[in-house]
Amino acid sequence: MVTAVATSESAVSFLDPNTVERGGRIDFGEIVHAHLSQKLRAHGQEHLLQFWQELSIEEQESLAAEILSIDFEQIQQLHNGFLNPTKTEDVDVSRVEEPQSVKPGESTRISQEAARAVGEAALKTGLVGVVIVAGGQGSRLGFEHPKGMYPIGPASDATLFQILIEKIRATSQRYETRIPLYLMTSPATHGETVEFLNANDNFGLAGEDLHIFCQGTMPAVNMQTGQLVLKEKNALFFSPNGHGGMLEALDTSGCLADMQTRGVEHLFYCQIDNSLIECIRPEFVGYHILSNSELTTQVIRKQSPSEKVGNVVSVDGKVQMIEYSDLPEELASARNDDGSLKVWAGNIAVHAFSVSFLERVAGQADALPFHFAQKKVPYFDAAGETVKPTEPNAVKFERFIFDLMPLAQRALVVEADRESVYAPLKNAEGTESAEWVREKISSLHTQWLAEAGIEVEPGSTVEISPLYANSAEELAERRPNGQGGYYSC
């Protein structure tokens, strides 16, 4: 018979304090097992306890805590939704319109000069913060670490973390201000990310300006039965709840409260894998503010009707995103009178949020819906063996940040030049691989030098530190003479 001292709040909080004396000894195994069995039986999840008697006290406590953390009614509803999806109507082509947008070189009611001035003023007065989503690992790259640790600088081997943080520091120095960074990790990347940044002194970012918070998780379930997947005898399989989990995590971690304390009114959002992001460009912030937008999205012009990017459109006056897989061929290929694509705006996961908007939607239950992802998830079978399926066997539940778009009362789309802002690191080979990204960085920085009147030998690899120049304009101001600030080889 297993006994234990009743000291674990997570595992024994459900026990009646009148019958269990604190500090006394309880029959932990049997009492907790009985309680959990009753709870699991009601939801057809009794299999989670099949190895209970083989577990140590610590392992029983750990498993019990995981089980008690789960909303089984929610999981059941989600699985029912997966098995019986609500029939969605095909996209009505007649209702899809181009969203309100700002395009390079086009005359708008807000001039670029006015946007720049307002954006710079917001930066100087501390109204802007940054959130970077960095919960992903580099597994697809053969890099079993947080993707932000991947060395991507074409000449310096600077990591994605270093490049993006130095872009924030460069903007802070230029406008003599402090810009807080809210960095979202996942359970799989949190510890290593914290250790890596500590070891590198946060790449110069002041500790009080860096807030690292962890997104939540959701358990995976068997596609057919809805039973939760056991990863080990004493552990369930959890996965991050998607980049849309940022909304809840900002709130529960206290980051939204910190923004309020600091007076941050606008939040620039990006993902860690894109080293070419124009981090907190003043014009982008200015367009956002002058349009009184609650959510502003930076987009690139699609290169083809079938390009695999999300499509930012307006439907019944609301900005939203249509996945490329859901875009009807008729709409994808539709063109305007000048021959340009009607649906042209490709999502690159760069946004500006009004903090008041985030606070409002964070208080709404289930502001963001869950999406279903069918995955191959290793599991512990009844025989106590780990099985690695060759076909999808489980469903993961994820939320996506772009589902905030239609919730905004006012939204704006701002087009940017693809070659200047978009080089995501996603694949081991080919397009969007490390080699491809390094070429994009070198090509852009070579172009900056050319615009500044600096000749570069053809075929050279060029990299400019963000701390030296964060844009072509800044480089032209510096008129580099070859002494530091940029790398060439």
Side-chain angles (χ1 to χ4, degrees):
M1 181 176 294
V2 179
T3 60
V5 177
T7 56
S8 172
E9 289 293 328
S10 63
V12 300
S13 60
F14 56 82
L15 293 174
D16 185 345
N18 295 320
T19 60
V20 179
E21 181 181 354
R22 184 174 296 276
R25 300 185 71 80
I26 64 171
D27 185 349
F28 181 90
E30 290 190 11
I31 293 177
V32 176
H33 184 274
H35 173 81
L36 295 177
S37 294
Q38 182 180 13
K39 180 181 182 69
L40 296 174
R41 192 177 302 114
H43 300 283
Q45 302 283 355
E46 303 97 312
H47 69 290
L48 299 181
L49 300 178
Q50 60 188 309
F51 302 108
W52 183 264
Q53 299 303 329
E54 302 175 24
L55 306 179
S56 66
I57 294 172
E58 291 75 16
E59 289 172 334
Q60 289 178 348
E61 280 194 299
S62 175
L63 179 59
E66 288 188 353
I67 292 173
L68 292 172
S69 72
I70 293 172
D71 183 341
F72 284 96
E73 290 186 1
Q74 179 192 48
I75 297 299
Q76 188 170 343
Q77 290 173 359
L78 288 172
H79 183 250
N80 288 339
F82 167 73
L83 292 179
N84 304 289
T86 302
K87 187 180 186 305
T88 56
E89 297 181 4
D90 293 335
V91 177
D92 185 346
V93 176
S94 66
R95 295 166 56 202
V96 176
E97 300 177 342
E98 179 178 334
Q100 178 187 355
S101 60
V102 175
K103 301 176 183 178
E106 288 193 4
S107 176
T108 64
R109 65 181 182 84
I110 301 172
S111 69
Q112 183 176 352
E113 292 73 21
R116 177 189 286 268
V118 169
E120 289 180 337
L123 287 164
K124 289 177 181 177
T125 52
L127 299 182
V128 184
V130 178
V131 61
I132 298 178
V133 176
Q137 292 179 296
S139 301
R140 290 173 59 183
L141 310 172
F143 184 75
E144 299 300 329
H145 302 282
K147 189 180 284 188
M149 292 171 55
Y150 196 94
I152 198 63
S156 69
D157 274 343
T159 63
L160 286 163
F161 276 136
Q162 179 177 349
I163 291 172
L164 266 62
I165 288 175
E166 288 186 348
K167 287 187 177 188
I168 295 170
R169 285 183 55 208
T171 303
S172 296
Q173 292 169 8
R174 184 174 181 83
Y175 296 107
E176 299 180 336
T177 188
R178 291 173 56 186
I179 300 174
L181 168 60
Y182 304 92
L183 183 69
M184 187 173 84
T185 62
S186 67
T189 65
H190 185 80
E192 195 171 2
T193 295
V194 171
E195 182 180 349
F196 177 73
L197 292 177
N198 283 340
N200 289 279
D201 297 322
N202 301 331
F203 295 105
L205 188 65
E208 58 267 30
D209 293 331
L210 176 61
H211 305 267
I212 304 177
F213 65 105
C214 191
Q215 71 184 109
T217 59
M218 288 289 287
V221 304
N222 181 282
M223 287 172 54
Q224 304 302 323
T225 67
Q227 290 187 322
L228 273 67
V229 176
L230 271 177
K231 181 177 68 174
E232 300 173 8
K233 290 182 179 182
N234 67 311
L236 299 155
F237 186 97
F238 287 92
S239 60
N241 57 3
H243 47 70
M246 181 202 78
L247 181 61
E248 179 182 15
L250 277 178
D251 189 21
T252 58
S253 67
C255 288
L256 281 179
D258 181 78
M259 293 174 204
Q260 188 176 48
T261 299
R262 297 181 65 127
V264 173
E265 296 182 4
H266 310 283
L267 192 64
F268 178 89
Y269 167 101
C270 65
Q271 296 180 1
I272 191 64
D273 62 359
N274 185 2
S275 59
L276 287 193
I277 286 169
E278 292 182 322
C279 204
I280 354 174
R281 185 126 176 122
E283 291 90 341
F284 183 66
V285 175
Y287 285 126
H288 170 76
I289 294 173
L290 288 173
S291 298
N292 199 24
S293 172
E294 291 190 321
L295 192 163
T296 299
T297 298
Q298 188 178 78
V299 299
I300 55 174
R301 187 165 293 273
K302 290 169 55 179
Q303 293 180 323
S304 68
S306 59
E307 184 173 358
K308 293 183 178 181
V309 292
N311 299 273
V312 182
V313 299
S314 177
V315 179
D316 297 333
K318 288 288 186 180
V319 173
Q320 65 181 59
M321 200 193 79
I322 302 175
E323 290 278 18
Y324 65 87
S325 56
D326 296 330
L327 189 66
E329 172 60 30
E330 176 188 1
L331 186 56
S333 59
R335 295 187 179 271
N336 299 311
D337 293 341
D338 62 1
S340 62
L341 289 173
K342 181 176 182 178
V343 178
W344 60 269
N347 177 46
I348 60 172
V350 173
H351 310 289
F353 298 106
S354 163
V355 173
S356 61
F357 168 62
L358 293 179
E359 290 172 339
R360 186 179 79 238
V361 294
Q364 300 174 3
D366 299 323
L368 297 177
F370 278 103
H371 296 257
F372 308 126
Q374 301 179 40
K375 300 290 184 178
K376 292 181 286 188
V377 174
Y379 62 93
F380 222 66
D381 67 9
E385 300 291 337
T386 298
V387 179
K388 295 183 178 180
T390 57
E391 299 292 335
N393 64 310
V395 181
K396 294 182 180 181
F397 306 111
E398 302 173 324
R399 283 177 163 145
F400 299 144
I401 202 67
F402 56 69
D403 283 324
L404 283 175
M405 289 180 181
L407 301 182
Q409 294 177 359
R410 295 166 300 280
L412 178 68
V413 170
V414 177
E415 183 186 357
D417 172 59
R418 174 189 291 263
E419 298 302 316
S420 300
V421 302
Y422 189 59
L425 176 61
K426 297 183 182 294
N427 302 318
E429 297 178 345
T431 302
E432 300 183 352
S433 66
E435 181 180 5
W436 179 87
V437 171
R438 293 186 183 106
E439 289 176 355
K440 291 291 185 181
I441 296 172
S442 181
S443 176
L444 178 64
H445 291 178
T446 298
Q447 178 185 326
W448 288 3
L449 288 170
E451 292 176 9
I454 308 297
E455 293 186 7
V456 176
E457 184 178 347
S460 298
T461 295
V462 177
E463 180 185 356
I464 300 171
S465 166
L467 296 176
Y468 187 79
N470 206 14
S471 67
E473 295 85 353
E474 290 184 17
L475 186 64
E477 292 173 6
R478 300 295 297 268
R479 301 291 297 182
N481 58 11
Q483 296 179 355
Y486 64 93
Y487 311 93
S488 178
C489 60

